[in-house]
PDB file of all heavy atoms in Angstrom:
ATOM      1  N   SER T   1       0.581  -7.268  -4.178  1.00 90.00           N
ATOM      2  CA  SER T   1      -0.673  -7.610  -3.532  1.00 90.00           C
ATOM      3  C   SER T   1      -1.414  -6.372  -3.046  1.00 90.00           C
ATOM      4  O   SER T   1      -0.802  -5.404  -2.603  1.00 90.00           O
ATOM      5  CB  SER T   1      -0.430  -8.540  -2.341  1.00 90.00           C
ATOM      6  OG  SER T   1       0.158  -9.758  -2.737  1.00 90.00           O
ATOM      7  N   SER T   2      -2.722  -6.436  -3.129  1.00 95.00           N
ATOM      8  CA  SER T   2      -3.569  -5.467  -2.461  1.00 95.00           C
ATOM      9  C   SER T   2      -3.789  -5.952  -1.029  1.00 95.00           C
ATOM     10  O   SER T   2      -4.229  -7.080  -0.826  1.00 95.00           O
ATOM     11  CB  SER T   2      -4.904  -5.322  -3.198  1.00 95.00           C
ATOM     12  OG  SER T   2      -5.766  -4.448  -2.517  1.00 95.00           O
ATOM     13  N   MET T   3      -3.464  -5.114  -0.057  1.00 96.00           N
ATOM     14  CA  MET T   3      -3.536  -5.497   1.341  1.00 96.00           C
ATOM     15  C   MET T   3      -4.681  -4.769   2.036  1.00 96.00           C
ATOM     16  O   MET T   3      -4.996  -3.620   1.712  1.00 96.00           O
ATOM     17  CB  MET T   3      -2.224  -5.174   2.057  1.00 96.00           C
ATOM     18  CG  MET T   3      -0.992  -5.805   1.424  1.00 96.00           C
ATOM     19  SD  MET T   3      -1.037  -7.620   1.479  1.00 96.00           S
ATOM     20  CE  MET T   3      -1.085  -7.904   3.257  1.00 96.00           C
ATOM     21  N   ALA T   4      -5.277  -5.435   3.007  1.00 98.00           N
ATOM     22  CA  ALA T   4      -6.416  -4.845   3.685  1.00 98.00           C
ATOM     23  C   ALA T   4      -6.512  -5.334   5.115  1.00 98.00           C
ATOM     24  O   ALA T   4      -5.963  -6.375   5.482  1.00 98.00           O
ATOM     25  CB  ALA T   4      -7.709  -5.164   2.942  1.00 98.00           C
ATOM     26  N   TRP T   5      -7.213  -4.558   5.910  1.00 98.00           N
ATOM     27  CA  TRP T   5      -7.620  -4.953   7.251  1.00 98.00           C
ATOM     28  C   TRP T   5      -9.138  -5.040   7.289  1.00 98.00           C
ATOM     29  O   TRP T   5      -9.828  -4.113   6.844  1.00 98.00           O
ATOM     30  CB  TRP T   5      -7.142  -3.964   8.315  1.00 98.00           C
ATOM     31  CG  TRP T   5      -5.673  -3.995   8.565  1.00 98.00           C
ATOM     32  CD1 TRP T   5      -4.725  -3.191   8.015  1.00 98.00           C
ATOM     33  CD2 TRP T   5      -4.980  -4.883   9.452  1.00 98.00           C
ATOM     34  NE1 TRP T   5      -3.483  -3.512   8.493  1.00 98.00           N
ATOM     35  CE2 TRP T   5      -3.608  -4.554   9.376  1.00 98.00           C
ATOM     36  CE3 TRP T   5      -5.386  -5.919  10.292  1.00 98.00           C
ATOM     37  CZ2 TRP T   5      -2.640  -5.226  10.111  1.00 98.00           C
ATOM     38  CZ3 TRP T   5      -4.420  -6.590  11.025  1.00 98.00           C
ATOM     39  CH2 TRP T   5      -3.070  -6.242  10.929  1.00 98.00           C
ATOM     40  N   TYR T   6      -9.633  -6.142   7.787  1.00 98.00           N
ATOM     41  CA  TYR T   6     -11.046  -6.342   8.056  1.00 98.00           C
ATOM     42  C   TYR T   6     -11.240  -6.519   9.553  1.00 98.00           C
ATOM     43  O   TYR T   6     -10.287  -6.796  10.287  1.00 98.00           O
ATOM     44  CB  TYR T   6     -11.577  -7.576   7.329  1.00 98.00           C
ATOM     45  CG  TYR T   6     -11.729  -7.436   5.825  1.00 98.00           C
ATOM     46  CD1 TYR T   6     -10.623  -7.442   4.986  1.00 98.00           C
ATOM     47  CD2 TYR T   6     -12.993  -7.328   5.252  1.00 98.00           C
ATOM     48  CE1 TYR T   6     -10.762  -7.334   3.613  1.00 98.00           C
ATOM     49  CE2 TYR T   6     -13.141  -7.225   3.876  1.00 98.00           C
ATOM     50  CZ  TYR T   6     -12.024  -7.223   3.069  1.00 98.00           C
ATOM     51  OH  TYR T   6     -12.175  -7.121   1.702  1.00 98.00           O
ATOM     52  N   ARG T   7     -12.470  -6.394   9.997  1.00 98.00           N
ATOM     53  CA  ARG T   7     -12.766  -6.682  11.391  1.00 98.00           C
ATOM     54  C   ARG T   7     -14.141  -7.314  11.508  1.00 98.00           C
ATOM     55  O   ARG T   7     -15.007  -7.121  10.658  1.00 98.00           O
ATOM     56  CB  ARG T   7     -12.693  -5.424  12.254  1.00 98.00           C
ATOM     57  CG  ARG T   7     -13.771  -4.385  11.979  1.00 98.00           C
ATOM     58  CD  ARG T   7     -13.518  -3.121  12.794  1.00 98.00           C
ATOM     59  NE  ARG T   7     -14.547  -2.117  12.583  1.00 98.00           N
ATOM     60  CZ  ARG T   7     -14.498  -0.880  13.056  1.00 98.00           C
ATOM     61  NH1 ARG T   7     -13.442  -0.488  13.785  1.00 98.00           N
ATOM     62  NH2 ARG T   7     -15.485  -0.026  12.816  1.00 98.00           N
ATOM     63  N   GLN T   8     -14.316  -8.079  12.562  1.00 98.00           N
ATOM     64  CA  GLN T   8     -15.588  -8.717  12.825  1.00 98.00           C
ATOM     65  C   GLN T   8     -15.888  -8.647  14.314  1.00 98.00           C
ATOM     66  O   GLN T   8     -15.142  -9.183  15.130  1.00 98.00           O
ATOM     67  CB  GLN T   8     -15.583 -10.171  12.355  1.00 98.00           C
ATOM     68  CG  GLN T   8     -16.938 -10.842  12.458  1.00 98.00           C
ATOM     69  CD  GLN T   8     -16.993 -12.164  11.708  1.00 98.00           C
ATOM     70  OE1 GLN T   8     -15.968 -12.793  11.471  1.00 98.00           O
ATOM     71  NE2 GLN T   8     -18.187 -12.577  11.324  1.00 98.00           N
ATOM     72  N   ALA T   9     -16.967  -7.970  14.642  1.00 97.00           N
ATOM     73  CA  ALA T   9     -17.426  -7.868  16.014  1.00 97.00           C
ATOM     74  C   ALA T   9     -18.444  -8.970  16.284  1.00 97.00           C
ATOM     75  O   ALA T   9     -19.073  -9.487  15.358  1.00 97.00           O
ATOM     76  CB  ALA T   9     -18.044  -6.495  16.267  1.00 97.00           C
ATOM     77  N   PRO T  10     -18.630  -9.337  17.547  1.00 92.00           N
ATOM     78  CA  PRO T  10     -19.604 -10.378  17.872  1.00 92.00           C
ATOM     79  C   PRO T  10     -20.989 -10.058  17.325  1.00 92.00           C
ATOM     80  O   PRO T  10     -21.489  -8.947  17.499  1.00 92.00           O
ATOM     81  CB  PRO T  10     -19.604 -10.391  19.400  1.00 92.00           C
ATOM     82  CG  PRO T  10     -18.248  -9.896  19.776  1.00 92.00           C
ATOM     83  CD  PRO T  10     -17.926  -8.855  18.743  1.00 92.00           C
ATOM     84  N   GLY T  11     -21.588 -11.024  16.646  1.00 94.00           N
ATOM     85  CA  GLY T  11     -22.925 -10.850  16.102  1.00 94.00           C
ATOM     86  C   GLY T  11     -23.007 -10.032  14.833  1.00 94.00           C
ATOM     87  O   GLY T  11     -24.109  -9.783  14.350  1.00 94.00           O
ATOM     88  N   LYS T  12     -21.873  -9.615  14.299  1.00 96.00           N
ATOM     89  CA  LYS T  12     -21.857  -8.806  13.088  1.00 96.00           C
ATOM     90  C   LYS T  12     -21.065  -9.483  11.981  1.00 96.00           C
ATOM     91  O   LYS T  12     -20.246 -10.369  12.231  1.00 96.00           O
ATOM     92  CB  LYS T  12     -21.261  -7.426  13.372  1.00 96.00           C
ATOM     93  CG  LYS T  12     -22.054  -6.581  14.358  1.00 96.00           C
ATOM     94  CD  LYS T  12     -21.441  -5.208  14.516  1.00 96.00           C
ATOM     95  CE  LYS T  12     -22.240  -4.339  15.461  1.00 96.00           C
ATOM     96  NZ  LYS T  12     -21.629  -2.994  15.621  1.00 96.00           N
ATOM     97  N   GLN T  13     -21.323  -9.055  10.750  1.00 97.00           N
ATOM     98  CA  GLN T  13     -20.583  -9.564   9.609  1.00 97.00           C
ATOM     99  C   GLN T  13     -19.197  -8.939   9.549  1.00 97.00           C
ATOM    100  O   GLN T  13     -18.969  -7.837  10.047  1.00 97.00           O
ATOM    101  CB  GLN T  13     -21.339  -9.278   8.308  1.00 97.00           C
ATOM    102  CG  GLN T  13     -22.657 -10.017   8.158  1.00 97.00           C
ATOM    103  CD  GLN T  13     -23.312  -9.757   6.817  1.00 97.00           C
ATOM    104  OE1 GLN T  13     -23.125  -8.706   6.220  1.00 97.00           O
ATOM    105  NE2 GLN T  13     -24.080 -10.727   6.339  1.00 97.00           N
ATOM    106  N   ARG T  14     -18.276  -9.651   8.932  1.00 97.00           N
ATOM    107  CA  ARG T  14     -16.948  -9.107   8.729  1.00 97.00           C
ATOM    108  C   ARG T  14     -17.029  -7.921   7.769  1.00 97.00           C
ATOM    109  O   ARG T  14     -17.709  -7.985   6.739  1.00 97.00           O
ATOM    110  CB  ARG T  14     -16.016 -10.187   8.176  1.00 97.00           C
ATOM    111  CG  ARG T  14     -14.562  -9.769   8.097  1.00 97.00           C
ATOM    112  CD  ARG T  14     -13.660 -10.941   7.714  1.00 97.00           C
ATOM    113  NE  ARG T  14     -13.726 -12.015   8.691  1.00 97.00           N
ATOM    114  CZ  ARG T  14     -12.947 -13.094   8.659  1.00 97.00           C
ATOM    115  NH1 ARG T  14     -12.041 -13.228   7.704  1.00 97.00           N
ATOM    116  NH2 ARG T  14     -13.079 -14.028   9.583  1.00 97.00           N
ATOM    117  N   GLU T  15     -16.337  -6.843   8.108  1.00 98.00           N
ATOM    118  CA  GLU T  15     -16.386  -5.638   7.308  1.00 98.00           C
ATOM    119  C   GLU T  15     -14.990  -5.144   6.970  1.00 98.00           C
ATOM    120  O   GLU T  15     -14.046  -5.333   7.740  1.00 98.00           O
ATOM    121  CB  GLU T  15     -17.157  -4.530   8.032  1.00 98.00           C
ATOM    122  CG  GLU T  15     -16.500  -4.059   9.320  1.00 98.00           C
ATOM    123  CD  GLU T  15     -17.209  -2.870   9.951  1.00 98.00           C
ATOM    124  OE1 GLU T  15     -18.077  -2.261   9.299  1.00 98.00           O
ATOM    125  OE2 GLU T  15     -16.878  -2.548  11.119  1.00 98.00           O
ATOM    126  N   LEU T  16     -14.885  -4.499   5.828  1.00 98.00           N
ATOM    127  CA  LEU T  16     -13.623  -3.900   5.416  1.00 98.00           C
ATOM    128  C   LEU T  16     -13.360  -2.653   6.239  1.00 98.00           C
ATOM    129  O   LEU T  16     -14.207  -1.772   6.339  1.00 98.00           O
ATOM    130  CB  LEU T  16     -13.662  -3.550   3.933  1.00 98.00           C
ATOM    131  CG  LEU T  16     -12.440  -2.808   3.384  1.00 98.00           C
ATOM    132  CD1 LEU T  16     -11.206  -3.698   3.418  1.00 98.00           C
ATOM    133  CD2 LEU T  16     -12.704  -2.317   1.961  1.00 98.00           C
ATOM    134  N   VAL T  17     -12.175  -2.571   6.813  1.00 98.00           N
ATOM    135  CA  VAL T  17     -11.755  -1.403   7.575  1.00 98.00           C
ATOM    136  C   VAL T  17     -10.927  -0.467   6.708  1.00 98.00           C
ATOM    137  O   VAL T  17     -11.179   0.742   6.646  1.00 98.00           O
ATOM    138  CB  VAL T  17     -10.959  -1.804   8.826  1.00 98.00           C
ATOM    139  CG1 VAL T  17     -10.452  -0.572   9.571  1.00 98.00           C
ATOM    140  CG2 VAL T  17     -11.810  -2.674   9.741  1.00 98.00           C
ATOM    141  N   ALA T  18      -9.927  -1.011   6.046  1.00 98.00           N
ATOM    142  CA  ALA T  18      -9.037  -0.208   5.213  1.00 98.00           C
ATOM    143  C   ALA T  18      -8.331  -1.100   4.211  1.00 98.00           C
ATOM    144  O   ALA T  18      -8.078  -2.272   4.486  1.00 98.00           O
ATOM    145  CB  ALA T  18      -8.006   0.534   6.067  1.00 98.00           C
ATOM    146  N   ARG T  19      -8.018  -0.525   3.071  1.00 98.00           N
ATOM    147  CA  ARG T  19      -7.290  -1.249   2.043  1.00 98.00           C
ATOM    148  C   ARG T  19      -6.217  -0.349   1.461  1.00 98.00           C
ATOM    149  O   ARG T  19      -6.404   0.865   1.334  1.00 98.00           O
ATOM    150  CB  ARG T  19      -8.228  -1.735   0.923  1.00 98.00           C
ATOM    151  CG  ARG T  19      -7.518  -2.470  -0.213  1.00 98.00           C
ATOM    152  CD  ARG T  19      -8.491  -3.108  -1.187  1.00 98.00           C
ATOM    153  NE  ARG T  19      -9.255  -4.185  -0.560  1.00 98.00           N
ATOM    154  CZ  ARG T  19      -8.791  -5.410  -0.343  1.00 98.00           C
ATOM    155  NH1 ARG T  19      -7.546  -5.737  -0.694  1.00 98.00           N
ATOM    156  NH2 ARG T  19      -9.555  -6.317   0.231  1.00 98.00           N
ATOM    157  N   ILE T  20      -5.100  -0.954   1.086  1.00 97.00           N
ATOM    158  CA  ILE T  20      -4.038  -0.236   0.399  1.00 97.00           C
ATOM    159  C   ILE T  20      -3.588  -1.069  -0.788  1.00 97.00           C
ATOM    160  O   ILE T  20      -3.261  -2.243  -0.655  1.00 97.00           O
ATOM    161  CB  ILE T  20      -2.859   0.101   1.349  1.00 97.00           C
ATOM    162  CG1 ILE T  20      -1.792   0.910   0.614  1.00 97.00           C
ATOM    163  CG2 ILE T  20      -2.274  -1.159   1.984  1.00 97.00           C
ATOM    164  CD1 ILE T  20      -0.766   1.537   1.558  1.00 97.00           C
ATOM    165  N   THR T  21      -3.597  -0.470  -1.963  1.00 96.00           N
ATOM    166  CA  THR T  21      -3.227  -1.181  -3.169  1.00 96.00           C
ATOM    167  C   THR T  21      -1.717  -1.279  -3.287  1.00 96.00           C
ATOM    168  O   THR T  21      -0.961  -0.696  -2.513  1.00 96.00           O
ATOM    169  CB  THR T  21      -3.790  -0.484  -4.414  1.00 96.00           C
ATOM    170  OG1 THR T  21      -3.097   0.756  -4.619  1.00 96.00           O
ATOM    171  CG2 THR T  21      -5.280  -0.214  -4.265  1.00 96.00           C
ATOM    172  N   SER T  22      -1.274  -2.034  -4.289  1.00 92.00           N
ATOM    173  CA  SER T  22       0.154  -2.183  -4.521  1.00 92.00           C
ATOM    174  C   SER T  22       0.824  -0.858  -4.863  1.00 92.00           C
ATOM    175  O   SER T  22       2.029  -0.705  -4.647  1.00 92.00           O
ATOM    176  CB  SER T  22       0.407  -3.200  -5.636  1.00 92.00           C
ATOM    177  OG  SER T  22      -0.202  -2.796  -6.847  1.00 92.00           O
ATOM    178  N   SER T  23       0.052   0.095  -5.371  1.00 92.00           N
ATOM    179  CA  SER T  23       0.589   1.404  -5.706  1.00 92.00           C
ATOM    180  C   SER T  23       0.442   2.418  -4.580  1.00 92.00           C
ATOM    181  O   SER T  23       0.821   3.575  -4.738  1.00 92.00           O
ATOM    182  CB  SER T  23      -0.078   1.943  -6.975  1.00 92.00           C
ATOM    183  OG  SER T  23      -1.467   2.102  -6.793  1.00 92.00           O
ATOM    184  N   GLY T  24      -0.127   1.995  -3.444  1.00 95.00           N
ATOM    185  CA  GLY T  24      -0.226   2.863  -2.291  1.00 95.00           C
ATOM    186  C   GLY T  24      -1.521   3.627  -2.151  1.00 95.00           C
ATOM    187  O   GLY T  24      -1.637   4.477  -1.253  1.00 95.00           O
ATOM    188  N   ILE T  25      -2.500   3.363  -2.988  1.00 97.00           N
ATOM    189  CA  ILE T  25      -3.792   4.022  -2.883  1.00 97.00           C
ATOM    190  C   ILE T  25      -4.581   3.401  -1.739  1.00 97.00           C
ATOM    191  O   ILE T  25      -4.679   2.179  -1.636  1.00 97.00           O
ATOM    192  CB  ILE T  25      -4.586   3.912  -4.190  1.00 97.00           C
ATOM    193  CG1 ILE T  25      -3.754   4.459  -5.364  1.00 97.00           C
ATOM    194  CG2 ILE T  25      -5.915   4.640  -4.077  1.00 97.00           C
ATOM    195  CD1 ILE T  25      -3.361   5.906  -5.208  1.00 97.00           C
ATOM    196  N   THR T  26      -5.163   4.239  -0.890  1.00 98.00           N
ATOM    197  CA  THR T  26      -5.864   3.759   0.296  1.00 98.00           C
ATOM    198  C   THR T  26      -7.357   4.005   0.219  1.00 98.00           C
ATOM    199  O   THR T  26      -7.828   4.917  -0.465  1.00 98.00           O
ATOM    200  CB  THR T  26      -5.311   4.426   1.561  1.00 98.00           C
ATOM    201  OG1 THR T  26      -5.450   5.846   1.456  1.00 98.00           O
ATOM    202  CG2 THR T  26      -3.849   4.080   1.755  1.00 98.00           C
ATOM    203  N   ASN T  27      -8.087   3.182   0.949  1.00 98.00           N
ATOM    204  CA  ASN T  27      -9.526   3.306   1.061  1.00 98.00           C
ATOM    205  C   ASN T  27      -9.915   2.929   2.482  1.00 98.00           C
ATOM    206  O   ASN T  27      -9.380   1.965   3.038  1.00 98.00           O
ATOM    207  CB  ASN T  27     -10.230   2.392   0.059  1.00 98.00           C
ATOM    208  CG  ASN T  27     -11.737   2.516   0.109  1.00 98.00           C
ATOM    209  OD1 ASN T  27     -12.281   3.602  -0.057  1.00 98.00           O
ATOM    210  ND2 ASN T  27     -12.422   1.404   0.339  1.00 98.00           N
ATOM    211  N   TYR T  28     -10.841   3.692   3.082  1.00 98.00           N
ATOM    212  CA  TYR T  28     -11.231   3.470   4.466  1.00 98.00           C
ATOM    213  C   TYR T  28     -12.738   3.392   4.606  1.00 98.00           C
ATOM    214  O   TYR T  28     -13.488   4.050   3.871  1.00 98.00           O
ATOM    215  CB  TYR T  28     -10.739   4.608   5.365  1.00 98.00           C
ATOM    216  CG  TYR T  28      -9.238   4.757   5.430  1.00 98.00           C
ATOM    217  CD1 TYR T  28      -8.569   5.604   4.560  1.00 98.00           C
ATOM    218  CD2 TYR T  28      -8.501   4.050   6.378  1.00 98.00           C
ATOM    219  CE1 TYR T  28      -7.193   5.741   4.629  1.00 98.00           C
ATOM    220  CE2 TYR T  28      -7.124   4.190   6.447  1.00 98.00           C
ATOM    221  CZ  TYR T  28      -6.480   5.032   5.569  1.00 98.00           C
ATOM    222  OH  TYR T  28      -5.111   5.165   5.641  1.00 98.00           O
ATOM    223  N   ALA T  29     -13.172   2.602   5.558  1.00 98.00           N
ATOM    224  CA  ALA T  29     -14.571   2.631   5.946  1.00 98.00           C
ATOM    225  C   ALA T  29     -14.894   3.992   6.542  1.00 98.00           C
ATOM    226  O   ALA T  29     -14.056   4.613   7.205  1.00 98.00           O
ATOM    227  CB  ALA T  29     -14.866   1.531   6.962  1.00 98.00           C
ATOM    228  N   ASP T  30     -16.111   4.464   6.301  1.00 98.00           N
ATOM    229  CA  ASP T  30     -16.498   5.775   6.809  1.00 98.00           C
ATOM    230  C   ASP T  30     -16.336   5.869   8.329  1.00 98.00           C
ATOM    231  O   ASP T  30     -16.006   6.934   8.861  1.00 98.00           O
ATOM    232  CB  ASP T  30     -17.945   6.086   6.432  1.00 98.00           C
ATOM    233  CG  ASP T  30     -18.114   6.384   4.956  1.00 98.00           C
ATOM    234  OD1 ASP T  30     -17.115   6.706   4.287  1.00 98.00           O
ATOM    235  OD2 ASP T  30     -19.252   6.299   4.465  1.00 98.00           O
ATOM    236  N   SER T  31     -16.553   4.769   9.012  1.00 98.00           N
ATOM    237  CA  SER T  31     -16.519   4.774  10.462  1.00 98.00           C
ATOM    238  C   SER T  31     -15.127   4.995  11.044  1.00 98.00           C
ATOM    239  O   SER T  31     -14.997   5.328  12.226  1.00 98.00           O
ATOM    240  CB  SER T  31     -17.096   3.463  11.009  1.00 98.00           C
ATOM    241  OG  SER T  31     -16.361   2.351  10.539  1.00 98.00           O
ATOM    242  N   VAL T  32     -14.080   4.817  10.235  1.00 98.00           N
ATOM    243  CA  VAL T  32     -12.722   4.954  10.743  1.00 98.00           C
ATOM    244  C   VAL T  32     -11.939   6.063  10.070  1.00 98.00           C
ATOM    245  O   VAL T  32     -10.793   6.328  10.460  1.00 98.00           O
ATOM    246  CB  VAL T  32     -11.932   3.630  10.632  1.00 98.00           C
ATOM    247  CG1 VAL T  32     -12.703   2.489  11.285  1.00 98.00           C
ATOM    248  CG2 VAL T  32     -11.617   3.302   9.175  1.00 98.00           C
ATOM    249  N   LYS T  33     -12.521   6.725   9.087  1.00 98.00           N
ATOM    250  CA  LYS T  33     -11.829   7.802   8.394  1.00 98.00           C
ATOM    251  C   LYS T  33     -11.404   8.897   9.372  1.00 98.00           C
ATOM    252  O   LYS T  33     -12.183   9.318  10.221  1.00 98.00           O
ATOM    253  CB  LYS T  33     -12.717   8.400   7.306  1.00 98.00           C
ATOM    254  CG  LYS T  33     -12.863   7.538   6.076  1.00 98.00           C
ATOM    255  CD  LYS T  33     -13.744   8.207   5.023  1.00 98.00           C
ATOM    256  CE  LYS T  33     -13.870   7.341   3.779  1.00 98.00           C
ATOM    257  NZ  LYS T  33     -14.783   7.951   2.771  1.00 98.00           N
ATOM    258  N   GLY T  34     -10.171   9.321   9.230  1.00 98.00           N
ATOM    259  CA  GLY T  34      -9.635  10.341  10.112  1.00 98.00           C
ATOM    260  C   GLY T  34      -9.057   9.806  11.395  1.00 98.00           C
ATOM    261  O   GLY T  34      -8.383  10.550  12.122  1.00 98.00           O
ATOM    262  N   ARG T  35      -9.301   8.536  11.700  1.00 98.00           N
ATOM    263  CA  ARG T  35      -8.792   7.934  12.927  1.00 98.00           C
ATOM    264  C   ARG T  35      -7.773   6.826  12.660  1.00 98.00           C
ATOM    265  O   ARG T  35      -6.825   6.662  13.426  1.00 98.00           O
ATOM    266  CB  ARG T  35      -9.935   7.364  13.766  1.00 98.00           C
ATOM    267  CG  ARG T  35     -10.960   8.412  14.198  1.00 98.00           C
ATOM    268  CD  ARG T  35     -11.954   7.830  15.201  1.00 98.00           C
ATOM    269  NE  ARG T  35     -12.734   6.736  14.635  1.00 98.00           N
ATOM    270  CZ  ARG T  35     -12.740   5.490  15.101  1.00 98.00           C
ATOM    271  NH1 ARG T  35     -12.010   5.179  16.176  1.00 98.00           N
ATOM    272  NH2 ARG T  35     -13.491   4.562  14.527  1.00 98.00           N
ATOM    273  N   PHE T  36      -7.990   6.055  11.601  1.00 98.00           N
ATOM    274  CA  PHE T  36      -7.117   4.932  11.280  1.00 98.00           C
ATOM    275  C   PHE T  36      -6.273   5.258  10.056  1.00 98.00           C
ATOM    276  O   PHE T  36      -6.714   5.979   9.153  1.00 98.00           O
ATOM    277  CB  PHE T  36      -7.928   3.666  10.973  1.00 98.00           C
ATOM    278  CG  PHE T  36      -8.639   3.064  12.153  1.00 98.00           C
ATOM    279  CD1 PHE T  36      -8.717   3.720  13.371  1.00 98.00           C
ATOM    280  CD2 PHE T  36      -9.246   1.822  12.028  1.00 98.00           C
ATOM    281  CE1 PHE T  36      -9.378   3.158  14.448  1.00 98.00           C
ATOM    282  CE2 PHE T  36      -9.911   1.244  13.101  1.00 98.00           C
ATOM    283  CZ  PHE T  36      -9.980   1.910  14.308  1.00 98.00           C
ATOM    284  N   THR T  37      -5.081   4.702   9.998  1.00 98.00           N
ATOM    285  CA  THR T  37      -4.201   4.866   8.855  1.00 98.00           C
ATOM    286  C   THR T  37      -3.582   3.524   8.484  1.00 98.00           C
ATOM    287  O   THR T  37      -2.977   2.863   9.330  1.00 98.00           O
ATOM    288  CB  THR T  37      -3.079   5.874   9.140  1.00 98.00           C
ATOM    289  OG1 THR T  37      -3.634   7.138   9.507  1.00 98.00           O
ATOM    290  CG2 THR T  37      -2.209   6.065   7.899  1.00 98.00           C
ATOM    291  N   ILE T  38      -3.743   3.135   7.233  1.00 98.00           N
ATOM    292  CA  ILE T  38      -3.119   1.914   6.742  1.00 98.00           C
ATOM    293  C   ILE T  38      -1.867   2.288   5.955  1.00 98.00           C
ATOM    294  O   ILE T  38      -1.845   3.289   5.234  1.00 98.00           O
ATOM    295  CB  ILE T  38      -4.093   1.078   5.882  1.00 98.00           C
ATOM    296  CG1 ILE T  38      -3.494  -0.289   5.547  1.00 98.00           C
ATOM    297  CG2 ILE T  38      -4.499   1.825   4.617  1.00 98.00           C
ATOM    298  CD1 ILE T  38      -4.489  -1.251   4.900  1.00 98.00           C
ATOM    299  N   SER T  39      -0.830   1.499   6.102  1.00 98.00           N
ATOM    300  CA  SER T  39       0.408   1.737   5.383  1.00 98.00           C
ATOM    301  C   SER T  39       1.092   0.403   5.126  1.00 98.00           C
ATOM    302  O   SER T  39       0.720  -0.622   5.704  1.00 98.00           O
ATOM    303  CB  SER T  39       1.339   2.681   6.156  1.00 98.00           C
ATOM    304  OG  SER T  39       1.688   2.133   7.417  1.00 98.00           O
ATOM    305  N   ARG T  40       2.093   0.422   4.262  1.00 96.00           N
ATOM    306  CA  ARG T  40       2.811  -0.806   3.958  1.00 96.00           C
ATOM    307  C   ARG T  40       4.283  -0.525   3.758  1.00 96.00           C
ATOM    308  O   ARG T  40       4.679   0.562   3.340  1.00 96.00           O
ATOM    309  CB  ARG T  40       2.215  -1.502   2.721  1.00 96.00           C
ATOM    310  CG  ARG T  40       2.365  -0.721   1.418  1.00 96.00           C
ATOM    311  CD  ARG T  40       1.496  -1.322   0.306  1.00 96.00           C
ATOM    312  NE  ARG T  40       1.912  -2.668  -0.044  1.00 96.00           N
ATOM    313  CZ  ARG T  40       1.164  -3.542  -0.711  1.00 96.00           C
ATOM    314  NH1 ARG T  40      -0.067  -3.206  -1.086  1.00 96.00           N
ATOM    315  NH2 ARG T  40       1.634  -4.748  -0.989  1.00 96.00           N
ATOM    316  N   ASP T  41       5.089  -1.522   4.060  1.00 94.00           N
ATOM    317  CA  ASP T  41       6.521  -1.463   3.850  1.00 94.00           C
ATOM    318  C   ASP T  41       6.871  -2.684   3.019  1.00 94.00           C
ATOM    319  O   ASP T  41       6.985  -3.793   3.542  1.00 94.00           O
ATOM    320  CB  ASP T  41       7.275  -1.461   5.177  1.00 94.00           C
ATOM    321  CG  ASP T  41       8.769  -1.262   5.003  1.00 94.00           C
ATOM    322  OD1 ASP T  41       9.308  -1.581   3.928  1.00 94.00           O
ATOM    323  OD2 ASP T  41       9.414  -0.785   5.966  1.00 94.00           O
ATOM    324  N   ASN T  42       7.015  -2.482   1.729  1.00 89.00           N
ATOM    325  CA  ASN T  42       7.270  -3.611   0.838  1.00 89.00           C
ATOM    326  C   ASN T  42       8.619  -4.272   1.107  1.00 89.00           C
ATOM    327  O   ASN T  42       8.775  -5.475   0.892  1.00 89.00           O
ATOM    328  CB  ASN T  42       7.192  -3.155  -0.622  1.00 89.00           C
ATOM    329  CG  ASN T  42       5.777  -2.832  -1.053  1.00 89.00           C
ATOM    330  OD1 ASN T  42       4.805  -3.244  -0.420  1.00 89.00           O
ATOM    331  ND2 ASN T  42       5.651  -2.086  -2.145  1.00 89.00           N
ATOM    332  N   GLY T  43       9.585  -3.492   1.570  1.00 89.00           N
ATOM    333  CA  GLY T  43      10.885  -4.055   1.890  1.00 89.00           C
ATOM    334  C   GLY T  43      10.831  -5.035   3.042  1.00 89.00           C
ATOM    335  O   GLY T  43      11.637  -5.966   3.111  1.00 89.00           O
TER     336      GLY T  43
END
């Protein structure tokens, strides 16, 4: 599975925060780059 974190603030649309693919490739929203880290433990 491709896993992701989204967030939704009051009065705003839900937005993608970070995603990590099954192979471990990550993608971050510009607003959180350098501050947030997504990871997964398949076990």
Side-chain angles (χ1 to χ4, degrees):
S1 298
S2 176
M3 304 296 299
W5 289 96
Y6 288 74
R7 68 186 181 187
Q8 187 167 23
K12 297 183 178 180
Q13 294 184 331
R14 188 173 299 186
E15 64 174 348
L16 175 67
V17 177
R19 178 172 294 281
I20 183 167
T21 70
S22 60
S23 61
I25 305 300
T26 59
N27 182 57
Y28 297 92
D30 288 341
S31 59
V32 307
K33 285 181 179 177
R35 300 189 298 120
F36 291 9
T37 302
I38 188 170
S39 61
R40 65 192 296 162
D41 186 335
N42 289 342

